[in-house]
Every structure is written in C-alpha cells, then in structure tokens.
Amino acid sequence: GFMREREFLQCQHFNCLLDHGVTNQSVPVVLPVHTQDKERLAGCKEFTLSYNGVARAIIRDPEFYEHRKEERCARQFGMFNDGHPYIKMISESGDWLVGGEVEVLGRIKWNDGLDHYRFTPTELRAKFKEMHADAVFAFQLRNPVHNGHALLMNDCKRQLVERGYMKPVLLLHPLGGWTKDDDVPLGVRMEQHKAIMDEGVLDPESTVLAIFPSPMMYAGPTEVQWHAKARMSTGANFYIVGRDPAGMPHPDPPKRDIYQPTHGGKVLGMAPGLTQLEIIPFKVAAYDMKAKAMAFFDPHRREDFDFISGTRMRGLARSGEMPPDGFM
C-alpha cells in the first residue's frame, strides 16, 4: 500500500524499511492529497481511488500526515529547485500524504498496445524459471538502446558464462512510467527494443523484454537503489550499472550534472538491503571515431572517443539528424 508516516520517515532518513528486517527502500511510495480532499475524507475507514472515472483500488484504514515537500525533496534529490521536473510535480501536489493498505480492483491495463510487455514480479520469476535461467542480469534504461548499451549487456553475459553459468538471461527492463517531456515516448522505445532483438543485436532466446512501471524521478544515487531493489524482486541476481544512473543536467547554470556520475555505482555497492543482488559496474562505453563503433573508453586514446549522451542523442532525433555510423 501507500506508506504511512512511520514508513515514510524510515524511507526518508534511512533509505530502508526497518520493521521486518532491513529492506532497501530509498524512494517514498506515497499518495499526496489536497486539503479539501483530506477534510472530505476525515473519519472514513476506507475510500476508493478512481482513474478516468473507473474505480481502481480501495484504501483501507487511511492515515493522513503532513506533506513536507521541501524536506522530502532535499532528502530525496539533494536539492529543492522547481527547475527539476519531478520536484516541480511534488511542489504542485497536495499538502498532505495518505497512507494505508491498498486493495487493487483487478489487473491494471493501459490498453495502449503495450500491455503484453507488462508483467508482475511473480510472473517474471515464473518466466525465468520456464527459461531454465541460472542467472538473471537486469539492465535499466529510459532511452533507445544504442550499441554502447548492447556492448555492456553482451559483455555482462560473457562474464557470467566465464564464471560458469550455463543459461544467463537478460531482463531488458525499460522504465515505463512518467518521464520528462524531452525523453523518447515509451511506445517508440519498445518498438526499437523489439527491433534490436529481432535483428540479433541482443539474443531473443535469452532476453526478456518487459516494462518497469515506475516513474523516472531523476534522483540519482538515491533513485538507483530503488531501480536495483525493484529488479531484485523480479528474481534478478545481477544488476548492470553505468554512468550517471537516474541523473540529469542541473537546471541552473553553469552547465553541469546534478549528481557526480560515478556515485550511483559506488552507492549501489554499499547500499544496505540489497544483499541478494550483485552489482556489475562497467567501464564507460563511448563512440570510437576511428573504428566507427562503440567501444570501452581507452584513456590512452582519449582524443579518438566521442561521448554521446542521451540528451544529445534525443537532440539528434528531434532535429532529424542521423547519429554517427556504428552508434545505433
């Protein structure tokens, strides 16, 4: 269900839930409500949540508590700046949070042509068992797959085979919730992911393509723990982490990232409550201008490499420009 105040405080201050052992939970799962709704629901033992006029869930034994937005953002994002799109949404949301047990009224379907990619964690575990996977390695992304991503995923599979695993399976798990306006739409990304599997860039016989339903919060090392923990719940036991996971450019000048690019991987290697998951950090992949292909960055040939970020890749797509040969 949605977090009660006790769980919310544990999440905010410790990045974990503590009442039943230590469970990593770095981002709050909360439901903001406006004051008029709180007053209208005062005294209710349960109420219904609707979406587009359809009843979707029931919250039982609700608990209302203050939504301290600036403190929440400062702890989760390390900043309070409305130029950050998710912080802006939090700032504009209700002044109260409501927690309680949630009863979902049937399976959630979006009817957007992508529901066949939406699996529960239990369904994914069953799928991996059906495939006789002896290792599951997960890759999180919010952009189209380029050859650098493929290099990371295929090299991870190679490492696992060398360690003695007979049937490592890749969980290609693109983020399918809210993303900022300049990110590539989910439908386009899923078509592209399916195409690279059809073309054999990723082995379709050992890859499961599924949608991760979380929103993108752009909370850097705090959020990447959530990304890893959620994949652990699907049965993944290896998680690939690259450069600046869940990061974005700072909304204010000068031009820079909000988060230090290596901290996400370092934090994952130390995070409590993720003991069932082995974090696999990788060298940075970049475009080798001499080879006209993606390769692991060689600092001795620094001038031969071009670092093409997701932001730059989306800019090329918007302007109708083609990326360099060998990048996609």
Side-chain angles (χ1 to χ4, degrees), residues 291-309:
K292 296 190 182 302
M294 294 299 290
F296 291 122
F297 175 63
D298 180 355
H300 300 295
R301 295 194 299 117
R302 183 180 301 271
E303 66 281 357
D304 295 335
F305 287 88
D306 186 6
F307 292 88
I308 303 174
S309 67

Side-chain angles (χ1 to χ4, degrees), residues 14-318:
F14 308 117
N15 279 3
C16 289
L17 300 179
L18 304 174
D19 289 341
H20 304 285
V22 177
T23 302
N24 191 285
Q25 185 61 51
S26 58
V27 300
V29 180
V30 292
L31 179 62
V33 295
H34 293 284
T35 300
Q36 59 267 35
D37 291 320
K38 173 185 178 288
E39 292 174 349
R40 184 164 56 92
L41 296 168
C44 288
K45 293 185 177 180
E46 58 187 35
F47 60 86
T48 301
L49 296 178
S50 297
Y51 182 75
N52 287 344
V54 179
R56 296 297 188 185
I58 298 171
I59 293 189
R60 304 191 192 281
D61 190 22
E63 174 189 351
F64 294 90
Y65 54 100
E66 185 182 359
H67 189 187
R68 298 181 61 82
K69 301 173 189 177
E70 182 174 351
E71 182 183 357
R72 173 187 171 184
C73 292
R75 293 186 183 282
Q76 183 173 340
F77 301 91
M79 66 189 311
F80 187 65
N81 184 321
D82 276 359
H84 185 295
Y86 206 86
I87 291 176
K88 184 174 188 292
M89 288 199 300
I90 291 173
S91 297
E92 293 171 353
S93 68
D95 292 334
W96 302 90
L97 298 175
V98 59
E101 287 65 50
V102 175
E103 177 189 350
V104 180
L105 303 175
R107 190 180 186 109
I108 302 297
K109 293 186 177 181
W110 291 94
N111 298 314
D112 57 357
L114 302 175
D115 284 330
H116 60 290
Y117 290 118
R118 294 185 173 98
F119 302 95
T120 67
T122 300
E123 290 168 342
L124 284 171
R125 284 177 178 268
K127 199 166 186 68
F128 299 143
K129 185 176 181 180
E130 181 184 304
M131 297 172 72
H132 305 290
D134 57 357
V136 177
F137 59 108
F139 190 70
Q140 144 85 31
L141 69 171
R142 70 174 194 264
N143 288 308
V145 173
H146 57 62
N147 286 332
H149 296 141
L151 179 67
L152 294 177
M153 290 182 271
N154 287 324
D155 195 66
C156 179
K157 183 178 181 180
R158 177 193 60 78
Q159 289 185 48
L160 293 174
V161 169
E162 287 181 355
R163 288 169 59 170
Y165 291 100
M166 302 298 293
K167 191 66 187 293
V169 169
L170 166 65
L171 172 59
L172 183 59
H173 215 196
L175 189 136
W178 175 89
T179 58
K180 54 190 173 69
D181 292 342
D182 64 345
D183 280 334
V184 179
L186 177 61
V188 175
R189 287 186 279 130
M190 296 305 292
E191 285 186 27
Q192 192 262 354
H193 299 343
K194 178 66 165 55
I196 64 158
M197 291 172 62
D198 291 342
E199 292 177 8
V201 177
L202 297 174
D203 178 14
E205 297 301 315
S206 61
T207 302
V208 173
L209 175 59
I211 291 172
F212 176 45
S214 177
M216 190 71 203
M217 291 165 266
Y218 308 95
T222 298
E223 183 177 1
V224 77
Q225 295 174 67
W226 161 244
H227 291 170
K229 178 265 182 82
R231 278 35 182 262
M232 189 172 71
S233 73
T234 71
N237 41 12
F238 296 92
Y239 185 78
I240 303 171
V241 60
R243 179 190 178 279
D244 197 22
M248 63 169 278
H250 200 289
D252 295 335
K255 184 178 179 181
R256 64 201 192 279
D257 292 329
I258 296 176
Y259 308 105
Q260 206 281 343
T262 68
H263 282 183
K266 291 175 180 177
V267 165
L268 273 187
M270 300 183 285
L274 295 177
T275 54
Q276 299 171 40
L277 200 65
E278 181 177 333
I279 307 305
I280 303 181
F282 274 96
K283 295 182 295 182
V284 175
Y287 182 69
D288 187 331
M289 293 180 288
K290 281 192 172 179
K292 296 190 182 302
M294 294 299 290
F296 291 122
F297 175 63
D298 180 355
H300 300 295
R301 295 194 299 117
R302 183 180 301 271
E303 66 281 357
D304 295 335
F305 287 88
D306 186 6
F307 292 88
I308 303 174
S309 67
T311 301
R312 183 172 157 197
M313 184 171 65
R314 293 189 297 272
L316 291 172
R318 278 195 304 273

